[in-house]
Amino acid sequence: MVNYLKVILLSGVLVACQSNHNELQEPKIETKATHEALDSITGTEEAFEYISEQFADLRVLRYKIEDFDKLSLQNKTLLYYLYEAALSGRDIIYDQNYKYNLSIRKTLEALITNYKGDAENDEYQKLLVYAKRVWFSNGIHHHYNQDKFVPECSEQFFVSQVSALPDSELPLEPNETKDAFIAKIKPLIFDPNVASKKVNLDSKIDLVQSSAVNFYEGITQKEVSAFYENLKVKGDSNQPMYGINSKLVKQNGIITEKVWKVGGMYTQAIEKIVYWLEKAVTVSENENQKDALIKLIKFYKSGSVKDFDEYNIAWVKDVNSAIDVVNGFIEVYQDPLGIKGSFESVVSVKDFVASKRIATIGANAQWFEDNSSILAEHKKKNVVGISAKVINAVVESGDAAPSTPIGINLPNNEWIRETHGSKSVNLGNIVEAYEQAAGASVVNEFYYTDEIRQRVLNCAGLADKLHTDMHEVIGHASGQINKGVGQPNETLKNYASALEEGRADLVALYYLFDKKLIELGVMPSLDYGMAAYDEYITKGLLVQLSRIKPGKSIEEAHMRNRQMVAAWVYEKGKKDSVIVKKFENGKTYFVITNYDKLRTLFGDLLREIQRVKSEGDYKAGKNLIENYGVKVDPKLHEEILERYKKLGMAPYQGFIQPKLLPVMEGDQIKDVKIEYPKSFQEQMLYFGKKYSFLPIIN
């Protein structure tokens, strides 16, 4: 199931060669002077620049952490330890995304670090852009559309540069010659037919064998499903998430799990994570936080999915700490079967002032559940344990960076959510950075009238925050599965993620045009709900097509969700002209004429998707996604691509991470300073040098 909201910035306003020894050695804590010698790319808060650079279809931004210097030394130290734990797992996501990603990344880093030629050389610049794309996507497949991308530089240039490097600079396997290495890596990088799709969701073929992710090897989709079905205990409603932290392989006819734990697969990185988590325990804020961290360490050491459940239960109980961390194998987007968790970490500090808004929504979760449009038998009679706050991200890694969520709702295990509750957050400083970097060009291009444009520009900032709040706090936390029905990844399979995101979006949309939000004091007027509706329909039917390549269908779960919702309500509202399609001066627009009726349609679709989830109705779920969320009108697509191209904007955005620097007296931390690097390239090279712990092949 998918329980965090990846950012959608589609308009001018806002709508993540190593040694193999197993003995853990004490990592070196670098001083501020050491960092300054390695990296002179910092800015000042007085003139903070939110936009760093743009290349390909990507824009790189920066975010800041207000009042970091006002935190206590204990909290700063805790953040520093969690920061190091987060970055220590960075290699894992590369390897999970594709078996040869680390070899490719290390080759690119060696080429760029050792390049002695003209930096403005066209071939080198094309190679550099490719390297930046690999860094941004944590591998050779696009972070959003899942397709493999290839360099625009020539193979000859690439081979000549690799050939000029000493063997010691290349990620060669034992006894591998440079010529053999070049012959191996060249098609991995340049042949578009080799590992062409990271995550394949085409239900007509074997999803496991057609996806490039490194979660399965030598095994079929049918065998995977049977393996995990056999692990379940019949009649047990409190099942752990089997397979969340392992690679499933078949060797010599035997199927077995390679568990991601200390002493298992990825041990070199996980040992470092555990080292820093154990330090974090010593400066934890309170007993609940300490207990959660200890249980997380236990999970990393044992690899037991039951220990992971125990950790999640403890983490949900920690609601009073200012510092929080997500660290582990969390979301299942990158697994076509929705079983395997990708490594990610988000380290944060609470924004106490901004948290009042989201906390108000969380405190009224039962009212929202009781007044939802879903069927009575699918409503929770007692919504438990929803804690909600706004946080400021301090560092993000793995699947959460550079492309980041703006909202998080965890844990993902359904029985834990129903029994123990969940925690929901809005990443306030990430949202702020997007808003600061935004412009009005997309709004002016894709919205029909001056009245609509002005409303979006004036109201969408708060409306989008409210949408994220409700998507995470009451969306993912709402509804219940019928007794005896399995988890969505079992019943709804490859459609589970898109349907879950659609369900959470619809909860938010249904209430964004409800006077209850005005009554609660979190929304000034229904104009904000109207702006949210204007945005959702326009982006779902038009603007997000700028992210799709010509001739392609929609495959990413969030994009399928948005088009499915928008296309469904457009079709069902045609009789009453709820949404009108207009075509003027060669441009298509979708214009809402009746916001009340549109809200009713949102409620109708919410009821149906909740039914699909509650009953495990795979056929109905498949029909919703395939009929409304996948297909693209080629003529409309061509128009949108041309209109968006003229704006000169990149449709995808991500972030450079802040840098925490300990100030030492002997072996004691006396302070922790923060700096804000400006160069994406320099940060990626630095991370590649400092946090590379895994072998090149795992």
Side-chain angles (χ1 to χ4, degrees):
M1 122 190 19
V2 176
N3 278 334
Y4 75 86
L5 182 64
K6 279 284 188 178
V7 71
I8 309 155
L9 190 68
L10 292 172
S11 75
V13 293
L14 177 67
V15 191
C17 190
Q18 300 310 123
S19 66
N20 289 314
H21 62 80
N22 289 321
E23 287 192 29
L24 178 62
Q25 296 181 349
E26 174 111 345
K28 294 179 180 178
I29 298 179
E30 297 178 15
T31 65
K32 188 174 188 298
T34 304
H35 278 284
E36 287 173 345
L38 286 169
D39 196 347
S40 59
I41 48 171
T42 59
T44 62
E45 290 191 321
E46 290 75 15
F48 196 85
E49 300 172 9
Y50 286 92
I51 301 173
S52 174
E53 63 176 305
Q54 182 170 312
F55 50 88
D57 59 351
L58 308 169
R59 186 162 72 154
V60 180
L61 308 179
R62 302 161 72 231
Y63 64 91
K64 61 180 179 178
I65 304 137
E66 295 287 357
D67 297 327
F68 181 86
D69 59 323
K70 296 180 182 178
L71 295 172
S72 68
L73 176 59
Q74 178 183 346
N75 278 359
K76 286 181 180 179
T77 304
L78 175 59
L79 284 171
Y80 172 68
Y81 292 151
L82 295 174
Y83 165 94
E84 290 290 343
L87 292 173
S88 293
R90 178 175 175 265
D91 270 1
I92 295 174
I93 190 64
Y94 280 88
D95 191 76
Q96 289 179 318
N97 284 343
Y98 181 46
K99 185 174 182 176
Y100 300 102
N101 270 337
L102 287 173
S103 294
I104 293 168
R105 192 196 79 197
K106 290 174 185 292
T107 301
L108 294 170
E109 290 170 349
L111 289 173
I112 292 166
T113 301
N114 293 281
Y115 182 70
K116 300 295 192 293
D118 178 10
E120 300 304 315
N121 176 275
D122 183 58
E123 289 274 61
Y124 175 71
Q125 283 297 313
K126 289 176 179 177
L127 179 67
L128 185 58
V129 167
Y130 176 72
K132 290 179 180 180
R133 296 187 71 185
V134 170
W135 290 325
F136 193 98
S137 296
N138 296 314
I140 64 171
H141 299 87
H142 196 282
H143 75 288
Y144 215 76
N145 65 33
Q146 310 293 333
D147 290 332
K148 180 180 179 177
F149 50 83
V150 299
E152 294 185 4
C153 68
S154 67
E155 291 186 36
Q156 292 80 2
F157 177 79
F158 173 80
V159 170
S160 69
Q161 295 301 307
V162 174
S163 299
L165 290 176
D167 287 6
S168 60
E169 293 293 321
L170 293 170
L172 303 180
E173 294 187 63
N175 302 317
E176 186 176 33
T177 67
K178 185 186 294 184
D179 287 343
F181 173 77
I182 292 173
K184 175 186 71 177
I185 203 166
K186 191 168 64 171
L188 297 179
I189 293 176
F190 285 94
D191 189 340
N193 297 312
V194 174
S196 62
K197 177 74 70 174
K198 182 170 72 172
V199 182
N200 198 325
L201 296 177
D202 185 349
S203 60
K204 297 186 292 294
I205 60 178
D206 189 302
L207 302 180
V208 167
Q209 295 189 334
S210 61
S211 297
V213 285
N214 192 26
F215 295 136
Y216 309 101
E217 192 165 334
I219 196 167
T220 67
Q221 178 180 347
K222 185 177 180 180
E223 289 172 324
V224 173
S225 298
F227 181 87
Y228 287 112
E229 186 63 34
N230 290 334
L231 292 182
K232 294 173 192 170
V233 179
K234 292 183 179 180
D236 184 0
S237 59
N238 297 348
Q239 302 274 359
M241 298 179 73
Y242 291 112
I244 191 73
N245 65 320
S246 67
K247 178 179 178 179
L248 194 65
V249 301
K250 184 165 70 171
Q251 297 173 328
N252 300 320
I254 300 173
I255 298 175
T256 185
E257 286 187 305
K258 298 175 70 175
V259 180
W260 307 327
K261 65 172 185 173
V262 172
M265 188 172 176
Y266 300 144
T267 185
Q268 299 88 346
I270 294 174
E271 288 171 18
K272 304 292 186 182
I273 295 171
V274 167
Y275 171 87
W276 291 108
L277 291 177
E278 288 177 336
K279 281 188 166 293
V281 168
T282 66
V283 288
S284 52
E285 297 177 71
N286 52 59
E287 287 303 312
N288 281 341
Q289 185 182 68
K290 183 177 182 178
D291 183 51
L293 290 171
I294 289 172
K295 285 183 166 65
L296 177 56
I297 293 166
K298 181 181 178 183
F299 161 67
Y300 272 131
K301 289 182 176 180
S302 73
S304 166
V305 288
K306 292 184 178 180
D307 284 344
F308 187 58
D309 279 357
E310 291 300 314
Y311 156 66
N312 279 306
I313 293 168
W315 180 75
V316 167
K317 292 179 182 178
D318 177 23
V319 296
N320 295 317
S321 300
I323 309 300
D324 205 353
V325 61
V326 172
N327 187 301
F329 307 109
I330 310 297
E331 301 295 346
V332 296
Y333 293 96
Q334 308 307 333
D335 180 359
L337 303 187
I339 297 171
K340 306 297 179 182
S342 296
F343 174 80
E344 73 171 76
S345 186
V346 177
V347 179
S348 63
V349 59
K350 183 176 180 179
D351 184 328
F352 288 92
V353 175
S355 290
K356 292 180 180 179
R357 179 192 71 243
I358 193 171
T360 299
I361 292 171
N364 287 272
Q366 190 66 59
W367 185 93
F368 289 115
E369 184 79 354
D370 293 343
N371 289 275
S372 172
S373 64
I374 66 177
L375 296 174
E377 58 265 33
H378 298 153
K379 294 180 180 180
K380 289 180 178 176
K381 304 302 184 290
N382 181 29
V383 179
V384 298
I386 296 179
S387 66
K389 60 185 177 181
V390 175
I391 62 173
N392 287 323
V394 175
V395 69
E396 299 174 295
S397 73
D399 199 34
S403 178
T404 169
I406 55 172
I408 300 172
N409 179 275
L410 292 170
N412 281 335
N413 194 321
E414 197 70 32
W415 80 262
I416 296 178
R417 300 166 64 80
E418 292 182 3
T419 305
H420 299 278
S422 61
K423 286 163 68 171
S424 297
V425 297
N426 181 314
L427 280 69
N429 60 337
I430 297 294
V431 174
E432 172 69 15
Y434 280 117
E435 291 180 343
Q436 291 292 332
S441 57
V442 176
V443 175
N444 291 332
E445 175 63 34
F446 288 99
Y447 294 83
Y448 186 60
T449 66
D450 287 339
E451 178 186 358
I452 297 172
R453 295 182 199 115
Q454 200 58 50
R455 182 167 60 232
V456 170
L457 289 170
N458 290 342
C459 301
L462 175 59
D464 292 328
K465 292 184 179 73
L466 288 168
H467 182 112
T468 302
D469 292 348
M470 290 187 289
H471 175 108
E472 301 296 348
V473 178
I474 61 173
H476 285 307
S478 67
Q480 61 184 0
I481 296 175
N482 292 357
K483 189 174 181 179
V485 175
Q487 294 276 333
N489 72 294
E490 303 162 12
T491 58
L492 305 179
K493 302 177 182 178
N494 51 303
Y495 299 106
S497 293
L499 289 167
E500 176 60 20
E501 290 304 309
R503 195 183 68 85
D505 266 357
L506 285 161
V507 172
L509 291 165
Y510 186 70
Y511 286 114
L512 274 165
F513 205 63
D514 193 313
K515 291 182 180 178
K516 179 68 173 180
L517 298 186
I518 302 173
E519 176 188 321
L520 292 175
V522 297
M523 188 171 79
S525 72
L526 291 180
D527 285 348
Y528 292 80
M530 294 170 70
Y533 282 18
D534 292 330
E535 276 199 303
Y536 200 89
I537 297 302
T538 296
K539 291 175 180 176
L541 295 178
L542 295 176
V543 185
Q544 76 167 9
L545 295 180
S546 64
R547 295 181 163 189
I548 305 296
K549 293 181 180 179
K552 294 284 188 177
S553 297
I554 298 175
E555 298 190 49
E556 198 278 331
H558 295 83
M559 296 179 73
R560 285 183 165 192
N561 141 46
R562 287 190 293 274
Q563 177 167 292
M564 179 267 294
V565 170
W568 191 94
V569 295
Y570 170 63
E571 179 186 283
K572 301 303 180 184
K574 273 187 176 180
K575 180 181 177 181
D576 297 322
S577 299
V578 176
I579 302 170
V580 177
K581 183 178 181 180
K582 294 183 178 291
F583 188 76
E584 292 185 7
N585 301 318
K587 297 180 179 182
T588 302
Y589 304 89
F590 286 91
V591 184
I592 302 168
T593 64
N594 192 316
Y595 292 86
D596 286 304
K597 287 187 177 181
L598 179 55
R599 182 188 186 230
T600 299
L601 290 171
F602 283 141
D604 292 343
L605 183 55
L606 170 59
R607 184 185 308 113
E608 172 60 8
I609 293 182
Q610 181 61 60
R611 184 198 67 78
V612 167
K613 179 180 179 180
S614 296
E615 298 176 3
D617 190 342
Y618 173 80
K619 183 178 179 181
K622 175 183 177 180
N623 288 339
L624 279 171
I625 299 300
E626 292 290 349
N627 293 337
Y628 296 98
V630 175
K631 300 169 186 175
V632 176
D633 179 339
K635 186 176 180 180
L636 176 62
H637 190 197
E638 182 181 4
E639 174 200 324
I640 299 306
L641 289 173
E642 184 62 29
R643 289 168 67 180
Y644 201 90
K645 182 179 179 181
K646 291 179 179 178
L647 302 178
M649 291 182 61
Y652 302 98
Q653 302 188 76
F655 287 90
I656 296 171
Q657 303 301 314
K659 180 183 292 185
L660 299 193
L661 310 170
V663 178
M664 308 298 295
E665 280 189 13
D667 59 355
Q668 298 294 313
I669 296 178
K670 293 302 181 182
D671 197 7
V672 178
K673 300 296 184 182
I674 189 165
E675 292 184 350
Y676 298 99
K678 289 186 175 181
S679 168
F680 182 61
Q681 175 182 332
E682 290 188 41
Q683 179 165 88
M684 292 298 101
L685 290 173
Y686 172 68
F687 282 174
K689 181 178 180 181
K690 184 178 179 185
Y691 299 105
S692 288
F693 302 124
L694 295 183
I696 55 174
I697 301 295
N698 296 275

